């Protein structure tokens, strides 16, 4: 690919789509000196803004932001007239861009690409168009849009209507005059909400058919915002940089105000400010936790509903317009101009399809379960087959005859949303697995295009001309995309983000919600790490550094980032007392954990004095006795107490249905080895002997612990076996210390940067046990006799220095005949699984733990 291809019908690259993405891609490829051919089914450039010409069509990201930023000269030459420009103005802009850079001659309009097939021998794509042309190219780039494939309405009798039919996404270029007409609009998503007020101005009668009410806030449109223009004027580069490194592609200071803890006054003030501002970026970030925590989300949602009720005069209509079946932001929120007011007009009516579903479209109107309506025109605002529709429709066939449709039958699979394994040299812009529709797309598009162009340039320099992601890198990215979605409320909604609007489409969260900034960082890191996860070949040889770019759970990474900003001293540099004080201070503001039925404190007679304990009794239908779990807190035998693990104990209690007795054993350095282990065993003996008084079921006793607490729990099991009792039904060991060997690979991999470090672990051991004692099975239970021990559930976290000893203990116990459940805490650190209601991704691991605890008490583990 050193020189542009000059054989007729052969190009270095084909770009399908001539919207925001395709135009910029063409421009960048040309800059690289490549021969490029563009196609678009549309008659001209513009993409979204070519097709969606309905009255009221506007962007909903303020135009100073929704614009190209790659060329400062271009920015100087164009001035937006409004905060939210209309479709004609945005289309004019894209035409202006096409003309300014002379892009049109390279694009064939009114031409649909119908198929693309990879030729493995030639290392080229063969592209076929609806006009029957065949074009060959090395790089095939689909800039086909996330919202470009209209969804056909799935309503009985659609073809039957004899009046005028319009689709917002395919609006006639000459416009439509509805004056004096009886008009139906079906659909109340973004397009419906924009078009309805304008049709109402003309129609003699407007009936809106609504299946799902949507959250919308007033756009407060007007001139382009002066404050933003001023910022751009003063420091354009700084402003654009801030946009590129923001969460959604618009400069915005993230808030740390939590909806659940903010005062009523703060909540109201923040919401009203966002309402007045009229921008999506404001209303989706009233509270830091509004997309994570249902209670916080409800606060914003209810305030929007209040507004709707205050605007719409008819209370039944108002109620029908209030969304109640999804969390705010889990479906695309809308900006509107007079949408809710429109329902106060006497000739406008809302039909709630939840109450009276459409039975059929008829020759002269619409029949619902309760009424027949006559219309002159029907407008469908029924949305798109989002994110995958246009890609799947274009019949792309990769290596070994595998089609994209087949590969994606259970949902799309991409690396960075840009490429997919088995389809070499095939790039998608704003593909599934990229931030795309959750962002200011102008910013995301520029980033994608720049990445692809940079990649092709790097390949050329290295003498490489074929690129494809590895399966490992791709599945790792897919997992990360789903992990990011899973900690939010997004998957709870039947939204087009989830593919739920298209019958039969797999239910998968399609975009990447980690943020524009996090996504950009991941893409940059891939390059930085030698195109990690890509296989590249060409005359210059072959190279592949396989791997996964993001393995850590997103909320664990956020917590680590937050802790890093606090600048805390390393624990191992402190005295034991100072370290204890620091731990207590950092725990002060954390969420309390779930409610349980009863919490009581008491003391146990230990071998060297009383040991405090705290008992948690689960809420539940029965007041009767429950199985008993004796729990030991973490803290390296030095730190921790009954309070430190309180939220975790509540969580274990609620999930297992068992009575949890959390015991505070003696700590080092005041009481060194084997004090903690002996206390633990004494506590188990005492709990067994006092089961009835504790509300337990005699004979149904398990032990549990985290970290060093898991160490003493494991030791207690060995001591109980040696002593001939008590019978222990199971041992739950969360990230246990089971050996004193700090040379395992997990120490090498995770010994620094994940809270529990090798240095800290060494500090713990130094405080707890003399070197000569560290091989004693009461300190290192992995070195003991493992025959005849109770069933175990062992949690091993990926980013824990102790991971390998936990896994080693699981294997050794299993080899010795004990039933073992190894719960892999994927993407977690030593501490994150225990961070109840802070690290949301820990909840599934704790659910598994809860199940394991319950299973301990099922036969045959019972005596
Ligand atoms: C009504 C509406 C309002 C929007 N408002 C905003 C907003 O305010 N802010 C924002 O960030 N985003 C908005 N979006 C999203 C918008 O789609 C993107 O911002 C952006 O315009 C996408 O550009 P694109 O070039 O990637 O895709 P598109 O603009 O969708 O262009 C894709 C082009 O590919 C062509 N194509 C597809 N398949 C083929 C094929 N097989 N052969 C030939 N041609 C093909 C299509 O004809 C289309 O012209 C809006 C979307 C809609 C529908």
């Amino acid at each position: 690919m050193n020189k542009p291809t000059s054989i007729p019908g052969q190009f270095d690259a084909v770009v399908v789509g001539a919207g925001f993405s395709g135009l910029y891609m063409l421009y960048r490829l040309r800059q690289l000196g490549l021969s490029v051919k563009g196609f678009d089914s549309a008659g001209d450039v513009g993409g979204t803004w070519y097709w969606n010409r309905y009255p009221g069509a506007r962007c909903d990201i303020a135009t100073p932001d929704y614009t190209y930023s790659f060329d400062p000269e271009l920015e100087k030459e164009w001035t937006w007239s409004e905060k939210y420009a209309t479709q004609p103005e945005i289309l004019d802009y894209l035409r202006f861009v096409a003309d300014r850079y002379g892009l049109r001659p390279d694009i064939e309009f009114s031409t649909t690409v119908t198929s693309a097939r990879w030729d493995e021998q030639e290392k080229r794509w063969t592209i076929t168009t609806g006009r029957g042309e065949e074009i060959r190219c090395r790089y095939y780039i689909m800039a086909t849009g996330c919202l470009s494939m209209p969804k056909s309405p799935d309503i009985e009798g659609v073809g039957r209507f004899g009046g005028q039919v319009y689709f917002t996404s395919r609006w006639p270029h000459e416009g439509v005059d509805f004056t004096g007409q009886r008009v139906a609009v079906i659909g109340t998503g973004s397009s419906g909400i924009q078009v309805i007020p304008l049709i109402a101005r003309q129609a003699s009668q407007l009936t809106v058919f609504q299946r799902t009410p949507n959250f919308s806030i007033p756009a407060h449109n007007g001139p382009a915002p002066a404050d933003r223009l001023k910022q751009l004027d003063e420091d354009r580069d700084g402003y654009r940089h801030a946009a590129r490194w923001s969460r959604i592609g618009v400069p915005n200071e993230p808030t740390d105000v939590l909806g659940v803890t903010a005062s009523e006054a703060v909540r109201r003030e923040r919401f009203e400010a966002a309402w007045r501002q009229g921008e999506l970026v404001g209303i989706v970030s009233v509270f830091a936790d509004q997309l994570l925590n249902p209670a916080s989300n409800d606060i914003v949602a209810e305030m929007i509903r209040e507004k709707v009720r205050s605007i719409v005069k008819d209370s039944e209509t108002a109620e029908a317009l209030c969304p109640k079946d999804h969390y705010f932001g889990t479906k695309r929120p809308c900006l509107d101009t007079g949408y809710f007011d429109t329902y106060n007009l006497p000739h406008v009516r809302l039909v709630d399809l939840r109450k009276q579903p459409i039975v059929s479209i008829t020759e002269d109107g619409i029949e619902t379960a309760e009424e027949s309506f006559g219309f002159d025109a029907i407008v469908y605002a029924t949305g798109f087959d989002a994110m995958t529709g246009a890609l799947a429709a274009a019949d792309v066939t990769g290596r070994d005859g595998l089609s994209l449709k087949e590969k994606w039958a259970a949902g799309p699979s991409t690396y960075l949303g840009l490429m997919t394994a088995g389809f070499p040299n095939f790039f998608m812009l704003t593909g599934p697995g990229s931030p795309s529709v959750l962002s200011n797309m102008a910013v995301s598009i520029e980033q994608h295009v720049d990445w692809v162009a940079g990649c092709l340039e790097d390949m050329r320099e290295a003498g490489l001309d074929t690129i494809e992601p590895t399966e490992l890198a791709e599945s790792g990215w897919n997992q990360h995309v789903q992990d990011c979605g899973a900690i939010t409320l997004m998957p709870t909604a039947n939204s087009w983000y989830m593919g739920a609007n298209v019958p039969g489409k797999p239910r998968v969260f399609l975009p990447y919600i980690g943020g524009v900034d996090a996504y950009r960082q991941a893409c940059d890191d891939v390059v930085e790490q030698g195109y990690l996860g890509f296989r590249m070949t060409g005359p210059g040889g072959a190279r592949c550094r396989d791997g996964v770019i993001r393995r850590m759970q997103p909320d664990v990474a956020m917590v680590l980032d937050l802790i890093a900003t606090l600048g805390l001293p390393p624990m191992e540099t402190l005295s034991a007392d100072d370290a204890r004080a620091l731990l207590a201070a950092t725990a002060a503001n954390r969420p309390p954990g779930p409610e349980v039925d009863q919490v009581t404190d008491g003391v146990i007679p230990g071998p060297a004095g009383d040991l405090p304990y705290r008992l948690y009794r689960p809420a539940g239908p029965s007041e009767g006795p429950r199985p008993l779990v004796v729990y030991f807190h973490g803290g390296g035998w030095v730190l921790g107490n009954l309070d430190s693990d309180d939220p975790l104990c509540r969580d274990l209690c609620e999930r297992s249905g068992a009575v949890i007795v959390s015991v505070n054993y003696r700590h080092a350095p005041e009481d060194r080895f084997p004090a903690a282990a002996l206390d633990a065993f004494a506590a188990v003996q005492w709990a067994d002997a006092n089961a009835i008084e504790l509300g337990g079921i005699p004979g149904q006793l398990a032990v549990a612990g985290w970290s060093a607490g898991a160490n003493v729990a494991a030791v207690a099991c060995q001591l109980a076996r040696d002593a001939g009792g008590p019978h222990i039904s199971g041992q739950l060991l969360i990230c246990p210390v089971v050996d004193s060997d700090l040379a395992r690979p997990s120490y090498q991999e995770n010994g620094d940067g994940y809270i529990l470090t090798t240095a800290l672990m060494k500090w713990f051991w130094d405080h707890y046990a003399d070197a000569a004692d560290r091989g004693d099975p009461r300190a290192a239970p992995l070195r003991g006799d493992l025959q005849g021990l109770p069933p175990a559930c062992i949690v091993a976290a990926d980013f824990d220095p102790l991971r390998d000893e936990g896994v080693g203990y699981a294997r050794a116990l299993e080899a010795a005949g004990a039933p073992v459940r190894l719960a892999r805490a994927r993407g977690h650190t030593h501490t994150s699984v225990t961070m109840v209601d802070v690290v949301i991704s820990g909840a599934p691991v704790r659910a598994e733990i809860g199940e394991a605890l319950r299973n301990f008490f099922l036969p045959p583990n019972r005596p």
Side-chain angles (χ1 to χ4, degrees):
M1 135 178 161
N2 288 331
K3 280 190 197 151
T5 307
S6 55
I7 306 165
Q10 294 241 18
F11 294 87
D12 291 322
V14 160
V15 177
V16 189
F20 257 101
S21 315
L23 290 178
Y24 183 46
M25 193 75 245
L26 264 173
Y27 168 80
R28 285 299 312 263
L29 293 175
R30 268 216 215 145
Q31 271 192 330
L32 290 180
L34 303 187
S35 62
V36 194
K37 175 87 176 167
F39 292 99
D40 201 307
S41 317
D44 195 4
V45 299
T48 292
W49 306 103
Y50 173 90
W51 295 109
N52 293 269
R53 295 168 184 251
Y54 58 86
R58 290 173 188 277
C59 57
D60 53 17
I61 295 284
T63 32
D65 298 303
Y66 187 58
T67 191
Y68 288 122
S69 67
F70 65 88
D71 182 352
E73 293 307 310
L74 171 66
E75 286 201 62
K76 277 189 210 151
E77 288 169 29
W78 186 267
T79 311
W80 293 104
S81 66
E82 288 182 90
K83 178 180 173 191
Y84 298 112
T86 57
Q87 171 271 330
E89 189 174 351
I90 303 174
L91 183 57
D92 277 352
Y93 170 70
L94 291 170
R95 285 181 177 143
F96 168 75
V97 170
D99 290 341
R100 191 183 188 285
Y101 300 102
L103 300 174
R104 275 208 181 80
D106 285 341
I107 309 169
E108 203 173 306
F109 294 107
S110 306
T111 307
T112 299
V113 167
T114 50
S115 73
R117 179 171 283 274
W118 172 250
D119 182 336
E120 181 70 12
Q121 289 295 313
E122 298 288 323
K123 306 274 188 245
R124 277 190 163 66
W125 285 93
T126 303
I127 312 296
T128 309
T129 73
R131 296 172 186 268
E133 297 161 285
E134 274 203 354
I135 295 102
R136 314 257 294 158
C137 63
R138 190 172 291 284
Y139 302 109
Y140 175 49
I141 301 166
M142 289 186 80
T144 45
C146 294
L147 300 169
S148 59
M149 175 58 66
K151 183 185 92 98
S152 23
D154 45 341
I155 305 172
E156 178 69 26
V158 163
R160 220 179 283 161
F161 183 61
Q164 296 300 313
V165 174
Y166 304 102
F167 292 86
T168 49
S169 53
R170 291 291 180 267
W171 203 257
H173 289 205
E174 62 282 8
V176 183
D177 184 1
F178 290 109
T179 306
Q181 295 192 10
R182 297 163 307 155
V183 183
V185 174
I186 301 181
T188 53
S190 291
S191 300
I193 281 176
Q194 287 187 333
V195 80
I196 284 164
L198 287 153
I199 295 180
R201 286 191 198 163
Q202 294 183 334
S204 63
Q205 229 182 68
L206 171 63
T207 311
V208 177
F209 292 85
Q210 170 193 275
R211 189 161 58 187
T212 311
N214 264 308
F215 289 101
S216 183
I217 68 160
H220 302 307
N221 200 16
D227 57 336
R228 201 104 23 121
L229 296 180
K230 185 164 173 276
Q231 285 179 48
L232 271 165
D233 244 16
E234 287 170 356
D235 180 12
R236 195 200 75 92
D237 287 351
Y239 187 88
R240 296 300 180 208
H241 179 84
R244 289 181 193 124
W245 289 99
S246 65
R247 261 196 101 69
I248 70 161
V250 175
N252 188 40
E253 203 50 52
T255 178
D256 55 5
V257 175
L258 301 179
V260 280
T261 51
S263 69
E264 181 52 35
V266 169
R267 289 174 181 169
R268 178 59 64 184
E269 185 193 316
R270 292 189 61 78
F271 172 77
E272 291 294 344
W275 184 267
R276 277 193 306 276
Q277 184 196 26
E279 291 198 31
L280 289 177
V281 65
I283 198 72
V284 300
S285 50
V286 176
F287 305 122
D289 56 345
Q290 75 186 54
L291 211 50
L292 307 174
N293 186 328
S296 173
N297 193 286
D298 278 345
I299 296 166
V300 181
E302 189 49 32
M303 287 187 184
I304 298 179
R305 288 190 286 261
E306 270 174 27
K307 293 281 186 191
V308 175
R309 291 179 189 119
S310 74
I311 299 168
V312 180
K313 296 200 173 95
D314 177 67
S315 60
E316 199 181 328
T317 306
E319 226 35 59
L321 287 166
C322 284
K324 292 176 200 117
D325 71 341
H326 62 278
Y327 292 109
F328 173 66
T330 57
K331 287 183 166 219
R332 180 79 156 89
C334 306
L335 291 188
D336 70 87
T337 301
Y339 173 65
F340 292 113
D341 291 297
T342 303
Y343 293 95
N344 292 330
L345 297 172
H347 65 293
V348 177
R349 179 178 165 194
L350 180 75
V351 175
D352 182 354
L353 297 180
R354 295 266 159 85
K355 289 196 176 139
Q356 47 169 322
I358 294 179
V359 176
S360 175
I361 308 288
T362 62
E363 279 198 354
D364 55 5
I366 294 176
E367 198 176 304
T368 68
E370 287 178 11
E371 282 174 80
S372 283
F373 297 82
F375 294 113
D376 302 308
I378 299 181
V379 175
Y380 290 98
T382 39
F384 299 91
D385 182 349
M387 297 204 75
T388 54
L391 293 168
D395 193 13
V396 186
T397 307
R399 193 185 298 108
D400 303 326
L402 178 68
S403 78
L404 196 62
K405 248 192 193 158
E406 281 163 358
K407 179 172 174 184
W408 288 7
S413 169
T414 70
Y415 186 31
L416 303 171
L418 287 164
M419 297 196 84
T420 186
F423 296 78
N425 290 359
F426 166 57
F427 295 91
M428 294 159 273
L429 302 181
T430 72
S434 75
S436 61
V437 289
L438 296 176
S439 67
N440 170 5
M441 289 193 64
V443 169
S444 287
I445 285 168
E446 284 193 334
Q447 185 270 344
H448 288 208
V449 170
D450 289 340
W451 193 93
V452 173
C455 166
L456 297 188
E457 198 173 5
D458 288 345
M459 283 170 65
R460 175 164 63 186
E461 274 167 22
L464 305 168
D465 56 18
T466 309
I467 177 168
E468 182 187 347
T470 66
E471 301 278 351
L472 175 70
E474 183 168 313
S475 67
W477 183 254
N478 291 333
Q479 184 67 62
H480 178 57
V481 171
Q482 294 310 312
D483 286 346
C484 289
I487 60 170
T488 72
L489 299 170
M490 297 302 268
T492 61
N494 287 323
S495 62
W496 54 256
Y497 299 133
M498 296 293 300
N501 65 327
V502 178
K505 192 164 170 173
R507 198 183 158 89
V508 179
F509 185 57
L510 296 166
Y512 176 66
I513 200 171
V516 166
D517 47 354
Y519 175 78
R520 181 180 292 270
Q521 190 63 60
C523 291
D524 289 357
D525 288 353
V526 163
V527 177
E528 180 82 6
Q529 294 176 38
Y531 283 93
L532 181 76
F534 283 108
R535 190 172 293 117
M536 294 160 142
T537 56
R543 73 183 205 200
C544 176
R545 197 171 156 230
D546 206 357
V548 172
I549 192 66
R550 291 288 180 264
R551 288 169 49 233
M552 185 170 278
Q553 291 287 349
D555 47 357
V556 175
M558 281 190 284
V559 168
L560 289 178
D561 286 348
L562 184 73
I563 290 173
T565 64
L566 300 177
L568 301 174
M571 285 263 185
E572 67 274 14
T573 62
L574 305 178
S575 68
D577 279 342
D578 286 349
R580 287 168 188 153
L582 180 64
L583 186 72
T586 53
N589 292 322
R590 70 193 163 162
E595 286 281 328
V596 295
D597 191 46
Q598 206 186 327
V599 179
T600 43
D601 286 355
V603 288
I604 293 172
D610 284 348
L611 304 173
Y613 77 86
R614 183 168 296 164
L615 180 144
Y616 302 83
R617 194 178 163 77
S622 130
E623 301 253 302
R626 305 294 187 99
L628 213 55
V629 177
V630 183
Y631 175 85
F632 303 101
H633 64 77
W637 308 282
V638 178
L639 314 174
N641 50 36
L642 297 182
D643 293 332
S644 61
D645 291 27
D646 186 77
L648 178 64
C649 288
R650 290 167 178 274
D651 192 79
L652 291 177
C653 176
E654 194 203 28
R655 289 180 191 277
S656 67
V659 169
I660 307 286
V661 181
S662 171
V663 177
N664 200 15
Y665 47 90
R666 279 173 292 162
H667 292 149
E670 295 84 353
D671 293 290
R672 287 167 64 86
F673 172 82
L678 298 183
D679 284 0
F681 181 48
V684 171
Q685 287 174 307
W686 176 84
D688 180 63
N690 293 279
I692 292 173
E693 293 75 8
L694 294 170
I697 303 171
Q700 291 195 35
L701 176 82
V703 295
W706 167 46
S707 191
N711 170 275
V712 297
V715 171
C717 290
Q718 296 192 8
L719 296 177
R721 175 206 52 199
D722 297 344
H727 169 82
I728 297 177
S729 301
Q731 46 182 329
L732 165 64
L733 310 179
I734 304 171
C735 304
V737 187
V738 284
D739 199 8
S740 48
D741 171 7
L742 310 195
R744 287 191 163 79
S746 52
Y747 270 99
Q748 312 306 317
E749 286 168 34
N750 308 319
D752 195 16
Y754 306 118
I755 299 179
L756 178 65
T757 61
T758 304
L760 182 57
M761 204 56 222
K762 192 171 168 311
W763 185 82
F764 285 143
W765 275 111
D766 289 345
H767 278 74
Y768 182 49
D770 294 342
D773 291 328
R774 293 183 196 176
D776 187 314
R778 290 172 304 165
L782 182 57
R783 302 189 189 192
D785 169 13
L786 303 185
Q787 299 294 320
L789 291 173
C793 171
I794 297 181
V795 179
D798 281 351
F799 292 91
D800 185 359
L802 303 180
R803 179 196 66 206
D804 291 349
E805 59 194 82
V807 172
Y809 200 53
R811 297 219 174 102
L813 280 177
E814 216 163 23
V820 177
R821 178 173 187 156
L822 180 60
R824 288 289 196 158
R826 188 177 49 74
H828 280 276
T829 62
H830 182 73
T831 52
S832 57
V833 170
T834 66
M835 293 182 174
V836 177
D837 295 337
V838 175
V839 172
I840 296 166
S841 61
V845 183
R846 293 197 310 278
E848 191 178 347
I849 291 173
E851 190 194 347
L853 280 175
R854 285 195 304 277
N855 288 347
F856 286 157
F857 303 111
L858 297 176
N861 295 343
R862 289 206 217 151

